[in-house]
Amino acid sequence: ADGEVVAAQRILEGTAMNCAGGPTPWGAWLSCEEIEGGLVWECDPSGQDPAEPRPALGAFPHEAVAVDPDAEQLYLTEDRPDGRFYRFSPDAYPDLAGGTLEVAQVAASGAVTWLEVPDPSAAETPTREQVPDSTAFDGGEGIWYDQGAVFFSSKGDNQVRRYDTESESMEVVYEGTGALEGVDNLTLEPGTEDLFVAENGGNMEVVV
């Protein structure tokens, strides 16, 4: 309340429809373009180094990204009614210049199988359509990693899911009924089980 703005500067320019993105353990900010063919941009919050596009993470309507520093992988959501849930494994973590992009296939039991995306550049076919056996999520939104769990929301069905990186299984932790409507960005308080979810709809609350 008693602070003051001492400076302001741009750390990214020349992009379109940037959405949630996400922080990294190495101090960069990943900004996501939510357009067809959109990229993830790795930004220096200090503004000293120019932002770099990371096309290996896929060209699609990105919403948000979360980093798993233990397995050295990244998870990404796609904000489309038939969007997918992706995993990126860098060739030389934390360098994001190259690596393998995969898409999730979720069985009725919740077991997840990861299938490689043939062309992350989506030169001819959108990434979400390249692997027909992959699972669609209705409007992927916020995502967060904490201690072996990846939480992410989907606005179309108003659900929050948890992916267990060790067992490679997924479960719904919020079914879409109750006080929480319009699920969007989320974060988990470290050391607790308190998951904070921001609404983008309804009465616009932040719900725990």
Side-chain angles (χ1 to χ4, degrees):
D2 57 355
E4 63 177 314
V5 176
V6 296
Q9 61 190 8
R10 181 183 301 159
I11 66 170
L12 175 63
E13 60 185 345
T15 57
M17 291 291 291
N18 294 70
C19 207
T24 72
W26 56 92
W29 176 263
L30 301 177
S31 183
C32 294
E33 288 184 294
E34 191 189 320
I35 56 172
E36 290 294 346
L39 300 178
V40 175
W41 292 72
E42 186 171 359
C43 307
D44 173 15
S46 73
Q48 295 181 356
D49 297 322
E52 295 284 348
R54 299 303 184 198
L57 276 71
F60 58 84
H62 290 270
E63 171 77 21
V65 56
V67 180
D68 172 0
D70 302 313
E72 300 184 345
Q73 295 174 311
L74 287 73
Y75 293 88
L76 308 101
T77 52
E78 181 176 22
D79 192 356
R80 282 296 182 271
D82 57 346
R84 267 37 179 188
F85 181 54
Y86 299 90
R87 181 175 73 178
F88 179 73
S89 302
D91 290 335
Y93 179 91
D95 185 350
L96 304 181
T100 302
L101 183 68
E102 299 170 296
V103 62
Q105 178 191 57
V106 186
S109 64
V112 176
T113 301
W114 292 101
L115 307 171
E116 185 170 351
V117 175
D119 178 22
S121 73
E124 297 184 1
T125 305
T127 55
R128 61 186 177 274
E129 298 176 7
Q130 291 182 28
V131 183
D133 291 336
S134 59
T135 300
F137 295 92
D138 192 352
E141 291 287 342
I143 189 169
W144 195 260
Y145 171 84
D146 183 78
Q147 300 182 69
V150 181
F151 295 90
F152 71 99
S153 61
S154 52
K155 63 186 178 186
D157 52 11
N158 201 43
Q159 292 187 346
V160 179
R161 294 173 175 84
R162 177 185 184 274
Y163 170 70
D164 188 304
T165 61
E166 183 174 352
S167 65
E168 295 198 326
S169 61
M170 187 179 295
E171 63 176 336
V172 176
V173 295
Y174 178 72
E175 293 283 357
T177 57
L180 177 56
E181 298 179 4
V183 294
D184 205 292
N185 282 318
L186 48 79
T187 184
L188 191 135
E189 183 179 359
T192 75
E193 295 182 351
D194 291 341
L195 185 68
F196 291 76
V197 185
E199 292 182 332
N200 186 6
N203 55 1
M204 304 292 284
E205 294 177 329
V206 174
V207 179
V208 183

